[in-house]
């Protein structure tokens, strides 16, 4: 498994790691943490499967992403957003050649609370449906949106790519299959005649903070081109989203508030340019986007069998 940990994620990283260690029902050979710095840890706390990896050693460095965005005439402040996506999509290049055929990638600000299988007995990856591609709270009927920047970016990147349903696959984790991911990368490179990471950036929507999505790209690619290698499921979870800065909620707080609930996972996320990102999320209907943007405080987003609910996150947080 692989976890990317930015500096802002470090206070809750132990909670994320313990969640996977305690609740993943598939054997884990390596828990690779890709970070900006390797923290000092007491010897007794070290799990022998944990391997710390300096993000500067990644095939595509953050500085390369920033420079390439500048060359394209785009906002380099989005570099960190795209860097972490590209690292996930090149996860097998960071692992030993004899690594297993499946890699579970988990965002560092997400924690599993209940026992969960990620690869079934037939070797199929279990992929989350994730958030609907168009947000309509309280509805079980979801349709493809008129436009969605991540769908359009994926279609430009991979010939023949089309969404298979109205769910994004975005839910802060993904099970990557070596065969599926390798074929995706090959198709993109063959189509564009350049390294995958450059093609990914070039085809992203330049006008959006979320101009491409690795999870949208991979889930729908796998479902369309390798349906025999994947299964899909809903993961009941709550995510708290908020802006950068002092105060707000932490991942340990959110995880503690969900103890004893039926939730399978929770997340606690801090976003750069939070208000701007809400304003450019074209999967949120305009009226709902205006409502959320009018008071851009912390929000909780709940997925329950594919039904989305949204509310203001205020202390004391109760997630039963």
């Amino acid at each position: 498994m692989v976890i990317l940990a930015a500096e802002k994620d470090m206070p809750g990283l132990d909670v994320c790691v313990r969640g996977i260690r305690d609740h993943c029902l598939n054997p884990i050979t390596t828990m690779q943490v890709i970070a900006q710095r390797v923290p000092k840890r007491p010897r007794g706390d070290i799990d022998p499967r944990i391997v710390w990896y300096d993000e500067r050693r990644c095939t595509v460095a953050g500085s390369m992403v920033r420079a390439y965005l500048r060359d394209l005439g785009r906002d380099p402040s989005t570099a960190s957003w795209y860097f972490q996506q590209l690292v996930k999509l090149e996860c097998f290049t960071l692992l030993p050649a004899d690594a297993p055929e499946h890699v579970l990638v988990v965002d560092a600000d997400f924690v599993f609370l209940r026992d969960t299988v990620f690869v079934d007995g037939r070797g199929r990856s279990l992929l989350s449906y994730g958030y609907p591609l168009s947000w309509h709270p309280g509805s079980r009927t979801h349709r493809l949106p008129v436009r969605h920047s991540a769908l359009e970016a994926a279609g430009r990147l991979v010939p023949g790519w089309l969404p298979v349903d109205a769910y994004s696959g975005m839910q802060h984790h993904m099970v990557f299959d070596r065969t599926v991911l390798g074929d995706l990368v090959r198709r993109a490179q063959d189509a564009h005649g350049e390294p995958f990471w450059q093609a990914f950036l070039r085809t992203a929507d330049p006008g959006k903070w979320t101009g491409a999505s690795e999870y949208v790209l991979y889930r729908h690619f796998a479902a369309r081109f390798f349906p025999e290698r994947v299964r899909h499921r809903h993961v009941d979870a709550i995510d708290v989203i908020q802006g950068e800065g002092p105060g707000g909620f932490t991942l340990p707080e959110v995880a503690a508030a969900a103890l004893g609930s039926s939730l399978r996972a929770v997340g606690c996320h801090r976003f750069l340019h939070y208000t701007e990102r809400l304003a450019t999320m074209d999967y949120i209907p305009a009226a709902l986007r205006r409502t959320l943007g009018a008071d851009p405080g912390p929000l909780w987003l709940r997925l329950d069998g594919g039904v989305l609910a949204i509310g203001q996150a205020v202390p004391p947080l109760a997630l039963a």
Side-chain angles (χ1 to χ4, degrees):
M1 64 163 293
V2 169
I3 299 173
L4 274 78
E7 192 63 29
K8 65 182 176 63
D9 300 318
M10 299 305 283
L13 182 60
D14 285 348
V15 176
C16 173
V17 171
R18 285 200 305 270
I20 290 296
R21 184 188 64 197
D22 296 346
H23 296 297
C24 177
L25 295 182
N26 300 101
I28 299 172
T29 59
T30 301
M31 305 172 73
Q32 186 176 74
V33 181
I34 301 172
Q36 295 169 332
R37 64 180 175 88
V38 177
K40 295 179 180 179
R41 300 231 160 192
R43 184 175 299 274
D45 279 356
I46 296 177
D47 186 310
R49 294 171 297 177
I50 295 177
V51 176
W52 288 87
Y53 193 96
D54 188 330
E55 69 174 37
R56 292 172 295 183
R57 296 171 54 202
C58 291
T59 306
V60 180
S63 59
M64 295 167 62
V65 175
R66 191 173 299 106
Y68 192 69
L69 289 172
R70 285 199 186 98
D71 290 344
L72 293 174
R74 299 183 182 177
D75 181 3
S77 70
T78 61
S80 61
W81 171 254
Y82 290 120
F83 167 73
Q84 56 91 21
Q85 294 191 56
L86 289 165
V87 172
K88 294 171 191 175
L89 291 168
E90 297 194 354
C91 60
F92 283 102
T93 67
L94 306 177
L95 297 169
D98 61 351
E101 294 302 297
H102 296 92
V103 172
L104 170 63
V105 171
V106 181
D107 292 351
D109 47 11
F110 196 68
V111 57
F112 281 89
L113 305 173
R114 302 169 71 86
D115 289 354
T116 304
V117 173
F118 295 96
V119 179
D120 72 12
R122 294 170 55 184
R124 295 176 298 184
S125 306
L126 275 65
L127 307 184
S128 169
Y129 282 110
Y131 285 87
L133 284 163
S134 183
W135 287 13
H136 296 280
S139 176
R140 290 190 180 276
T141 302
H142 301 292
R143 298 181 179 85
L144 288 171
V146 174
R147 75 173 306 269
H148 190 296
S149 54
L151 299 183
E152 294 164 3
R156 289 189 292 266
L157 178 64
V158 179
W161 187 98
L162 288 169
V164 297
D165 56 37
Y167 289 98
S168 66
M170 293 188 290
Q171 204 173 9
H172 307 292
H173 70 286
M174 181 61 68
V175 184
F176 289 109
D177 179 307
R178 186 191 297 272
T179 297
V180 177
L181 188 53
D183 191 63
L184 187 160
V185 169
R186 178 190 60 77
R187 291 183 190 224
Q189 292 183 153
D190 289 349
H192 296 275
E194 60 186 344
F196 175 79
W197 70 273
Q198 293 182 353
F200 183 86
L201 293 174
R202 187 182 294 276
T203 53
D205 187 331
K208 303 288 185 181
W209 250 93
T210 53
S213 167
E214 77 283 28
Y215 292 152
V216 170
L217 170 68
Y218 181 83
R219 178 186 169 249
H220 290 273
F221 178 87
R224 179 166 295 279
F225 294 104
F226 293 89
E228 75 286 356
R229 300 182 76 95
V230 296
R231 287 172 50 200
H232 308 276
R233 59 161 174 216
H234 290 295
V235 174
D236 293 346
I238 286 181
D239 289 297
V240 172
I241 63 172
Q242 58 200 332
E244 280 275 86
F249 297 97
T250 67
L251 184 61
E253 282 182 284
V254 176
L259 290 177
S261 73
S262 62
L263 296 170
R264 185 165 295 279
V266 295
C268 183
H269 318 283
R270 291 185 181 272
F271 294 126
L272 290 168
H273 304 282
Y274 179 51
T275 303
E276 176 186 339
R277 290 177 70 164
L278 286 175
T280 61
M281 291 178 177
D282 47 20
Y283 46 88
I284 305 179
L288 177 59
R289 193 163 60 242
R290 285 193 296 270
T291 299
L292 298 179
D295 182 17
L299 300 170
W300 55 260
L301 313 175
R302 180 169 189 142
L303 284 175
D304 185 359
V307 177
L308 173 64
I310 304 174
Q312 296 290 332
V314 295
L317 198 61
L319 303 180

